[in-house]
PDB file of all heavy atoms in Angstrom:
ATOM      1  N   GLN A  53     168.858  78.635  54.895  1.00 95.00           N
ATOM      2  CA  GLN A  53     168.358  77.271  55.065  1.00 95.00           C
ATOM      3  C   GLN A  53     168.878  76.366  53.942  1.00 95.00           C
ATOM      4  O   GLN A  53     169.239  75.208  54.183  1.00 95.00           O
ATOM      5  CB  GLN A  53     166.830  77.264  55.089  1.00 95.00           C
ATOM      6  CG  GLN A  53     166.262  77.877  56.351  1.00 95.00           C
ATOM      7  CD  GLN A  53     164.763  77.873  56.352  1.00 95.00           C
ATOM      8  OE1 GLN A  53     164.153  76.818  56.412  1.00 95.00           O
ATOM      9  NE2 GLN A  53     164.166  79.049  56.283  1.00 95.00           N
ATOM     10  N   LEU A  57     171.211  73.051  54.428  1.00 98.00           N
ATOM     11  CA  LEU A  57     170.927  71.735  53.845  1.00 98.00           C
ATOM     12  C   LEU A  57     172.147  71.215  53.090  1.00 98.00           C
ATOM     13  O   LEU A  57     172.474  70.024  53.155  1.00 98.00           O
ATOM     14  CB  LEU A  57     169.709  71.799  52.923  1.00 98.00           C
ATOM     15  CG  LEU A  57     168.356  71.939  53.614  1.00 98.00           C
ATOM     16  CD1 LEU A  57     167.258  72.237  52.599  1.00 98.00           C
ATOM     17  CD2 LEU A  57     168.021  70.687  54.418  1.00 98.00           C
ATOM     18  N   LYS A  60     174.545  69.796  55.520  1.00 97.00           N
ATOM     19  CA  LYS A  60     174.080  68.514  56.060  1.00 97.00           C
ATOM     20  C   LYS A  60     174.223  67.379  55.042  1.00 97.00           C
ATOM     21  O   LYS A  60     174.557  66.262  55.394  1.00 97.00           O
ATOM     22  CB  LYS A  60     172.620  68.636  56.503  1.00 97.00           C
ATOM     23  CG  LYS A  60     172.088  67.353  57.090  1.00 97.00           C
ATOM     24  CD  LYS A  60     170.713  67.516  57.691  1.00 97.00           C
ATOM     25  CE  LYS A  60     170.294  66.173  58.296  1.00 97.00           C
ATOM     26  NZ  LYS A  60     169.001  66.256  58.937  1.00 97.00           N
ATOM     27  N   PHE A  61     173.954  67.687  53.769  1.00 98.00           N
ATOM     28  CA  PHE A  61     173.995  66.673  52.722  1.00 98.00           C
ATOM     29  C   PHE A  61     175.197  66.941  51.812  1.00 98.00           C
ATOM     30  O   PHE A  61     175.055  67.308  50.650  1.00 98.00           O
ATOM     31  CB  PHE A  61     172.686  66.679  51.924  1.00 98.00           C
ATOM     32  CG  PHE A  61     171.495  66.286  52.744  1.00 98.00           C
ATOM     33  CD1 PHE A  61     170.665  67.259  53.303  1.00 98.00           C
ATOM     34  CD2 PHE A  61     171.203  64.956  52.986  1.00 98.00           C
ATOM     35  CE1 PHE A  61     169.568  66.910  54.075  1.00 98.00           C
ATOM     36  CE2 PHE A  61     170.110  64.589  53.756  1.00 98.00           C
ATOM     37  CZ  PHE A  61     169.292  65.565  54.306  1.00 98.00           C
ATOM     38  N   LEU A 110     162.302  77.320  49.975  1.00 88.00           N
ATOM     39  CA  LEU A 110     161.930  77.366  51.395  1.00 88.00           C
ATOM     40  C   LEU A 110     161.616  78.806  51.799  1.00 88.00           C
ATOM     41  O   LEU A 110     162.356  79.443  52.522  1.00 88.00           O
ATOM     42  CB  LEU A 110     163.053  76.781  52.256  1.00 88.00           C
ATOM     43  CG  LEU A 110     163.380  75.318  51.983  1.00 88.00           C
ATOM     44  CD1 LEU A 110     164.495  74.835  52.894  1.00 88.00           C
ATOM     45  CD2 LEU A 110     162.146  74.445  52.123  1.00 88.00           C
ATOM     46  N   ARG A 112     158.620  81.560  53.271  1.00 58.00           N
ATOM     47  CA  ARG A 112     157.411  81.649  54.092  1.00 58.00           C
ATOM     48  C   ARG A 112     156.359  82.557  53.468  1.00 58.00           C
ATOM     49  O   ARG A 112     155.214  82.569  53.882  1.00 58.00           O
ATOM     50  CB  ARG A 112     157.760  82.157  55.491  1.00 58.00           C
ATOM     51  CG  ARG A 112     158.580  81.170  56.287  1.00 58.00           C
ATOM     52  CD  ARG A 112     157.738  79.992  56.666  1.00 58.00           C
ATOM     53  NE  ARG A 112     158.486  79.024  57.455  1.00 58.00           N
ATOM     54  CZ  ARG A 112     158.053  77.826  57.723  1.00 58.00           C
ATOM     55  NH1 ARG A 112     156.887  77.420  57.266  1.00 58.00           N
ATOM     56  NH2 ARG A 112     158.763  76.996  58.435  1.00 58.00           N
ATOM     57  N   LEU A 131     160.269  71.273  46.364  1.00 96.00           N
ATOM     58  CA  LEU A 131     160.109  71.061  47.800  1.00 96.00           C
ATOM     59  C   LEU A 131     159.869  72.441  48.394  1.00 96.00           C
ATOM     60  O   LEU A 131     160.748  73.311  48.313  1.00 96.00           O
ATOM     61  CB  LEU A 131     161.366  70.416  48.382  1.00 96.00           C
ATOM     62  CG  LEU A 131     161.478  70.292  49.895  1.00 96.00           C
ATOM     63  CD1 LEU A 131     160.372  69.408  50.458  1.00 96.00           C
ATOM     64  CD2 LEU A 131     162.832  69.728  50.281  1.00 96.00           C
ATOM     65  N   VAL A 132     158.665  72.662  48.933  1.00 93.00           N
ATOM     66  CA  VAL A 132     158.259  74.003  49.359  1.00 93.00           C
ATOM     67  C   VAL A 132     157.582  73.955  50.718  1.00 93.00           C
ATOM     68  O   VAL A 132     157.124  72.906  51.170  1.00 93.00           O
ATOM     69  CB  VAL A 132     157.289  74.641  48.333  1.00 93.00           C
ATOM     70  CG1 VAL A 132     157.937  74.782  46.971  1.00 93.00           C
ATOM     71  CG2 VAL A 132     155.999  73.825  48.229  1.00 93.00           C
ATOM     72  N   TYR A 133     157.500  75.127  51.350  1.00 90.00           N
ATOM     73  CA  TYR A 133     156.715  75.280  52.563  1.00 90.00           C
ATOM     74  C   TYR A 133     155.249  75.492  52.180  1.00 90.00           C
ATOM     75  O   TYR A 133     154.938  76.041  51.118  1.00 90.00           O
ATOM     76  CB  TYR A 133     157.197  76.467  53.390  1.00 90.00           C
ATOM     77  CG  TYR A 133     158.501  76.241  54.121  1.00 90.00           C
ATOM     78  CD1 TYR A 133     159.368  77.301  54.371  1.00 90.00           C
ATOM     79  CD2 TYR A 133     158.868  74.983  54.592  1.00 90.00           C
ATOM     80  CE1 TYR A 133     160.554  77.113  55.060  1.00 90.00           C
ATOM     81  CE2 TYR A 133     160.057  74.790  55.279  1.00 90.00           C
ATOM     82  CZ  TYR A 133     160.896  75.862  55.506  1.00 90.00           C
ATOM     83  OH  TYR A 133     162.067  75.667  56.185  1.00 90.00           O
ATOM     84  N   SER A 134     154.368  75.138  53.093  1.00 84.00           N
ATOM     85  CA  SER A 134     152.927  75.221  52.828  1.00 84.00           C
ATOM     86  C   SER A 134     152.338  76.606  53.111  1.00 84.00           C
ATOM     87  O   SER A 134     151.188  76.854  52.789  1.00 84.00           O
ATOM     88  CB  SER A 134     152.193  74.189  53.689  1.00 84.00           C
ATOM     89  OG  SER A 134     152.396  74.483  55.064  1.00 84.00           O
ATOM     90  N   HIS A 144     151.362  66.756  47.888  1.00 92.00           N
ATOM     91  CA  HIS A 144     152.540  66.180  48.527  1.00 92.00           C
ATOM     92  C   HIS A 144     152.757  64.730  48.101  1.00 92.00           C
ATOM     93  O   HIS A 144     151.834  63.921  48.116  1.00 92.00           O
ATOM     94  CB  HIS A 144     152.405  66.287  50.044  1.00 92.00           C
ATOM     95  CG  HIS A 144     153.597  65.784  50.789  1.00 92.00           C
ATOM     96  ND1 HIS A 144     154.821  66.417  50.716  1.00 92.00           N
ATOM     97  CD2 HIS A 144     153.764  64.704  51.589  1.00 92.00           C
ATOM     98  CE1 HIS A 144     155.687  65.747  51.466  1.00 92.00           C
ATOM     99  NE2 HIS A 144     155.066  64.697  52.003  1.00 92.00           N
ATOM    100  N   PHE A 149     156.554  68.316  46.775  1.00 96.00           N
ATOM    101  CA  PHE A 149     156.667  68.034  48.198  1.00 96.00           C
ATOM    102  C   PHE A 149     156.358  69.299  48.984  1.00 96.00           C
ATOM    103  O   PHE A 149     157.009  70.323  48.785  1.00 96.00           O
ATOM    104  CB  PHE A 149     158.072  67.528  48.530  1.00 96.00           C
ATOM    105  CG  PHE A 149     158.516  66.413  47.622  1.00 96.00           C
ATOM    106  CD1 PHE A 149     159.374  66.665  46.558  1.00 96.00           C
ATOM    107  CD2 PHE A 149     158.050  65.119  47.816  1.00 96.00           C
ATOM    108  CE1 PHE A 149     159.766  65.645  45.715  1.00 96.00           C
ATOM    109  CE2 PHE A 149     158.435  64.090  46.969  1.00 96.00           C
ATOM    110  CZ  PHE A 149     159.298  64.346  45.921  1.00 96.00           C
ATOM    111  N   VAL A 150     155.358  69.216  49.861  1.00 94.00           N
ATOM    112  CA  VAL A 150     154.939  70.353  50.672  1.00 94.00           C
ATOM    113  C   VAL A 150     155.205  69.999  52.130  1.00 94.00           C
ATOM    114  O   VAL A 150     154.669  69.017  52.640  1.00 94.00           O
ATOM    115  CB  VAL A 150     153.446  70.678  50.468  1.00 94.00           C
ATOM    116  CG1 VAL A 150     153.047  71.897  51.298  1.00 94.00           C
ATOM    117  CG2 VAL A 150     153.142  70.917  48.988  1.00 94.00           C
ATOM    118  N   VAL A 151     156.051  70.795  52.779  1.00 95.00           N
ATOM    119  CA  VAL A 151     156.438  70.521  54.164  1.00 95.00           C
ATOM    120  C   VAL A 151     156.142  71.745  55.037  1.00 95.00           C
ATOM    121  O   VAL A 151     155.907  72.843  54.526  1.00 95.00           O
ATOM    122  CB  VAL A 151     157.929  70.125  54.271  1.00 95.00           C
ATOM    123  CG1 VAL A 151     158.194  68.825  53.512  1.00 95.00           C
ATOM    124  CG2 VAL A 151     158.838  71.234  53.754  1.00 95.00           C
ATOM    125  N   GLN A 152     156.204  71.527  56.347  1.00 93.00           N
ATOM    126  CA  GLN A 152     155.874  72.595  57.290  1.00 93.00           C
ATOM    127  C   GLN A 152     157.082  73.403  57.751  1.00 93.00           C
ATOM    128  O   GLN A 152     156.952  74.572  58.081  1.00 93.00           O
ATOM    129  CB  GLN A 152     155.172  72.006  58.526  1.00 93.00           C
ATOM    130  CG  GLN A 152     153.901  71.260  58.202  1.00 93.00           C
ATOM    131  CD  GLN A 152     152.868  72.115  57.510  1.00 93.00           C
ATOM    132  OE1 GLN A 152     152.636  73.259  57.905  1.00 93.00           O
ATOM    133  NE2 GLN A 152     152.256  71.595  56.456  1.00 93.00           N
ATOM    134  N   ASP A 153     158.258  72.754  57.816  1.00 94.00           N
ATOM    135  CA  ASP A 153     159.409  73.440  58.387  1.00 94.00           C
ATOM    136  C   ASP A 153     160.724  72.840  57.870  1.00 94.00           C
ATOM    137  O   ASP A 153     160.723  71.876  57.101  1.00 94.00           O
ATOM    138  CB  ASP A 153     159.369  73.399  59.918  1.00 94.00           C
ATOM    139  CG  ASP A 153     159.277  71.987  60.479  1.00 94.00           C
ATOM    140  OD1 ASP A 153     159.856  71.051  59.882  1.00 94.00           O
ATOM    141  OD2 ASP A 153     158.619  71.811  61.522  1.00 94.00           O
ATOM    142  N   TYR A 154     161.808  73.432  58.310  1.00 96.00           N
ATOM    143  CA  TYR A 154     163.150  73.023  57.878  1.00 96.00           C
ATOM    144  C   TYR A 154     163.409  71.543  58.183  1.00 96.00           C
ATOM    145  O   TYR A 154     163.966  70.823  57.352  1.00 96.00           O
ATOM    146  CB  TYR A 154     164.202  73.905  58.555  1.00 96.00           C
ATOM    147  CG  TYR A 154     165.612  73.472  58.277  1.00 96.00           C
ATOM    148  CD1 TYR A 154     166.272  73.882  57.119  1.00 96.00           C
ATOM    149  CD2 TYR A 154     166.294  72.648  59.170  1.00 96.00           C
ATOM    150  CE1 TYR A 154     167.566  73.475  56.854  1.00 96.00           C
ATOM    151  CE2 TYR A 154     167.598  72.233  58.905  1.00 96.00           C
ATOM    152  CZ  TYR A 154     168.224  72.648  57.753  1.00 96.00           C
ATOM    153  OH  TYR A 154     169.505  72.229  57.489  1.00 96.00           O
ATOM    154  N   ASN A 155     163.026  71.083  59.374  1.00 97.00           N
ATOM    155  CA  ASN A 155     163.271  69.684  59.740  1.00 97.00           C
ATOM    156  C   ASN A 155     162.541  68.719  58.816  1.00 97.00           C
ATOM    157  O   ASN A 155     163.083  67.684  58.432  1.00 97.00           O
ATOM    158  CB  ASN A 155     162.876  69.425  61.203  1.00 97.00           C
ATOM    159  CG  ASN A 155     163.823  70.100  62.170  1.00 97.00           C
ATOM    160  OD1 ASN A 155     164.993  70.332  61.872  1.00 97.00           O
ATOM    161  ND2 ASN A 155     163.316  70.443  63.345  1.00 97.00           N
ATOM    162  N   GLN A 156     161.326  69.064  58.438  1.00 97.00           N
ATOM    163  CA  GLN A 156     160.595  68.220  57.493  1.00 97.00           C
ATOM    164  C   GLN A 156     161.241  68.264  56.113  1.00 97.00           C
ATOM    165  O   GLN A 156     161.261  67.254  55.405  1.00 97.00           O
ATOM    166  CB  GLN A 156     159.131  68.642  57.407  1.00 97.00           C
ATOM    167  CG  GLN A 156     158.307  68.220  58.589  1.00 97.00           C
ATOM    168  CD  GLN A 156     156.826  68.524  58.408  1.00 97.00           C
ATOM    169  OE1 GLN A 156     156.370  68.985  57.361  1.00 97.00           O
ATOM    170  NE2 GLN A 156     156.052  68.281  59.456  1.00 97.00           N
ATOM    171  N   ALA A 157     161.770  69.421  55.731  1.00 97.00           N
ATOM    172  CA  ALA A 157     162.469  69.527  54.442  1.00 97.00           C
ATOM    173  C   ALA A 157     163.689  68.612  54.438  1.00 97.00           C
ATOM    174  O   ALA A 157     163.935  67.869  53.478  1.00 97.00           O
ATOM    175  CB  ALA A 157     162.880  70.975  54.174  1.00 97.00           C
ATOM    176  N   SER A 158     164.450  68.650  55.514  1.00 98.00           N
ATOM    177  CA  SER A 158     165.625  67.793  55.645  1.00 98.00           C
ATOM    178  C   SER A 158     165.232  66.318  55.623  1.00 98.00           C
ATOM    179  O   SER A 158     165.867  65.497  54.950  1.00 98.00           O
ATOM    180  CB  SER A 158     166.357  68.141  56.946  1.00 98.00           C
ATOM    181  OG  SER A 158     167.458  67.308  57.131  1.00 98.00           O
ATOM    182  N   SER A 159     164.172  65.966  56.325  1.00 98.00           N
ATOM    183  CA  SER A 159     163.689  64.575  56.346  1.00 98.00           C
ATOM    184  C   SER A 159     163.237  64.118  54.968  1.00 98.00           C
ATOM    185  O   SER A 159     163.446  62.966  54.586  1.00 98.00           O
ATOM    186  CB  SER A 159     162.528  64.430  57.327  1.00 98.00           C
ATOM    187  OG  SER A 159     162.961  64.621  58.641  1.00 98.00           O
ATOM    188  N   LYS A 160     162.635  65.037  54.200  1.00 98.00           N
ATOM    189  CA  LYS A 160     162.180  64.673  52.856  1.00 98.00           C
ATOM    190  C   LYS A 160     163.376  64.392  51.948  1.00 98.00           C
ATOM    191  O   LYS A 160     163.331  63.471  51.130  1.00 98.00           O
ATOM    192  CB  LYS A 160     161.281  65.771  52.272  1.00 98.00           C
ATOM    193  CG  LYS A 160     160.725  65.464  50.889  1.00 98.00           C
ATOM    194  CD  LYS A 160     160.129  64.075  50.726  1.00 98.00           C
ATOM    195  CE  LYS A 160     158.906  63.830  51.537  1.00 98.00           C
ATOM    196  NZ  LYS A 160     158.369  62.442  51.313  1.00 98.00           N
ATOM    197  N   ILE A 161     164.455  65.147  52.094  1.00 98.00           N
ATOM    198  CA  ILE A 161     165.660  64.861  51.301  1.00 98.00           C
ATOM    199  C   ILE A 161     166.199  63.484  51.669  1.00 98.00           C
ATOM    200  O   ILE A 161     166.558  62.696  50.784  1.00 98.00           O
ATOM    201  CB  ILE A 161     166.719  65.967  51.492  1.00 98.00           C
ATOM    202  CG1 ILE A 161     166.211  67.281  50.877  1.00 98.00           C
ATOM    203  CG2 ILE A 161     168.044  65.556  50.852  1.00 98.00           C
ATOM    204  CD1 ILE A 161     167.085  68.479  51.165  1.00 98.00           C
ATOM    205  N   ASP A 162     166.251  63.168  52.951  1.00 97.00           N
ATOM    206  CA  ASP A 162     166.646  61.817  53.388  1.00 97.00           C
ATOM    207  C   ASP A 162     165.755  60.760  52.740  1.00 97.00           C
ATOM    208  O   ASP A 162     166.231  59.746  52.249  1.00 97.00           O
ATOM    209  CB  ASP A 162     166.537  61.687  54.909  1.00 97.00           C
ATOM    210  CG  ASP A 162     167.808  62.056  55.643  1.00 97.00           C
ATOM    211  OD1 ASP A 162     168.910  61.829  55.095  1.00 97.00           O
ATOM    212  OD2 ASP A 162     167.695  62.581  56.766  1.00 97.00           O
ATOM    213  N   ASP A 163     164.472  61.009  52.766  1.00 97.00           N
ATOM    214  CA  ASP A 163     163.500  60.080  52.183  1.00 97.00           C
ATOM    215  C   ASP A 163     163.774  59.856  50.698  1.00 97.00           C
ATOM    216  O   ASP A 163     163.748  58.723  50.204  1.00 97.00           O
ATOM    217  CB  ASP A 163     162.091  60.639  52.403  1.00 97.00           C
ATOM    218  CG  ASP A 163     160.981  59.695  51.981  1.00 97.00           C
ATOM    219  OD1 ASP A 163     161.208  58.465  51.934  1.00 97.00           O
ATOM    220  OD2 ASP A 163     159.859  60.181  51.711  1.00 97.00           O
ATOM    221  N   LEU A 164     164.058  60.934  49.973  1.00 97.00           N
ATOM    222  CA  LEU A 164     164.319  60.816  48.531  1.00 97.00           C
ATOM    223  C   LEU A 164     165.629  60.094  48.251  1.00 97.00           C
ATOM    224  O   LEU A 164     165.745  59.385  47.250  1.00 97.00           O
ATOM    225  CB  LEU A 164     164.321  62.199  47.888  1.00 97.00           C
ATOM    226  CG  LEU A 164     162.962  62.911  47.895  1.00 97.00           C
ATOM    227  CD1 LEU A 164     163.111  64.344  47.418  1.00 97.00           C
ATOM    228  CD2 LEU A 164     161.957  62.151  47.058  1.00 97.00           C
TER     229      LEU A 164
END
Side-chain angles (χ1 to χ4, degrees):
Q53 289 179 67
L57 287 170
K60 181 173 182 178
F61 295 97
L110 298 180
R112 292 290 181 192
L131 172 62
V132 299
Y133 286 150
S134 62
H144 183 67
F149 310 100
V150 182
V151 297
Q152 301 301 316
D153 56 34
Y154 174 84
N155 290 333
Q156 285 186 4
S158 178
S159 293
K160 182 47 66 179
I161 293 172
D162 270 328
D163 186 24
L164 294 172

